[in-house]
Amino acid sequence: MSIAIRVSGRIGKPVSEVFDAVVNPTKLSGYFTTIRGASAPLVAGTTVVWWGEIPVEVDEVVPERRIVLRWDGSGPDDKSSYKTRIEMNFEQLDDGGTFVTIAEEGWREDEAGRKRSYINCEGWSQMLACMKAYVEYGINLRDGYYRSEMRGEPANPDNI
């Protein structure tokens, strides 16, 4: 069994706006991929680049419902590379808001896998908080959030 994480939260805007804040590279770069941005919209069957260096494979995009991504889960100490799977689900709520759930799975059951999963859990939680501030109020909470980003470098498990 591999390591898996799940985070979720409510954003007080319609699902169309929240979903667009993830698939639209300009918006995603406004609160999450703030250093070097996102290279292209999330379209199934493509690979986009986040932070100018991280390839993200887009497996599935169901408008206003679900996004499935894959990216490298391995670290510098791993003997071979492997991918983790990210699933983002968007649920329109009766009050007009959107409930977002982000789950990532597939890390190896070792110390490096645990460390990377913990860091990504922090990152996805932080993404949700930043998305809420950006979509609801137009505020970029991510700018300068991590020490690495204060130096103008994208956050990653090895330089946070």
Side-chain angles (χ1 to χ4, degrees):
M1 182 175 173
S2 67
I3 300 168
I5 58 105
R6 175 184 307 266
V7 298
S8 56
R10 180 190 175 278
I11 297 176
K13 290 290 183 175
V15 72
S16 60
E17 290 181 46
V18 177
F19 189 85
D20 188 54
V22 179
V23 298
N24 181 320
T26 302
K27 291 180 181 177
L28 187 67
S29 298
Y31 70 91
F32 185 56
T33 58
T34 55
I35 304 288
R36 302 186 201 131
S39 67
L42 298 181
V43 175
T46 65
T47 298
V48 298
V49 178
W50 286 356
W51 301 286
E53 61 188 44
I54 307 295
V56 177
E57 299 171 18
V58 185
D59 287 345
E60 181 181 0
V61 177
V62 178
E64 301 181 9
R65 299 282 318 268
R66 181 176 48 255
I67 299 168
V68 179
L69 311 168
R70 283 181 295 131
W71 65 5
D72 188 24
S74 57
D77 298 333
D78 288 307
K79 294 178 180 143
S80 62
S81 65
Y82 65 95
K83 305 245 185 251
T84 59
R85 179 182 186 273
I86 300 119
E87 183 172 333
M88 299 180 179
N89 287 290
F90 303 80
E91 176 190 352
Q92 181 69 57
L93 299 172
D94 291 340
D95 67 3
T98 303
F99 197 76
V100 180
T101 300
I102 303 172
E104 187 171 1
E105 64 184 12
W107 287 281
R108 291 189 178 139
E109 289 278 347
D110 58 19
E111 186 59 33
R114 281 187 291 280
K115 178 182 176 185
R116 294 184 82 77
S117 72
Y118 300 154
I119 290 169
N120 280 23
C121 187
E122 174 188 355
W124 292 125
S125 296
Q126 189 258 353
M127 178 201 188
L128 280 177
C130 290
M131 187 188 327
K132 181 176 182 67
Y134 183 81
V135 173
E136 290 183 10
Y137 305 103
I139 299 169
N140 178 0
L141 293 178
R142 177 81 180 218
D143 187 34
Y145 189 85
Y146 292 110
R147 288 183 186 272
S148 58
E149 291 184 347
M150 292 167 57
R151 297 187 302 267
E153 302 167 8
N156 75 53
D158 304 312
N159 75 2
I160 293 177

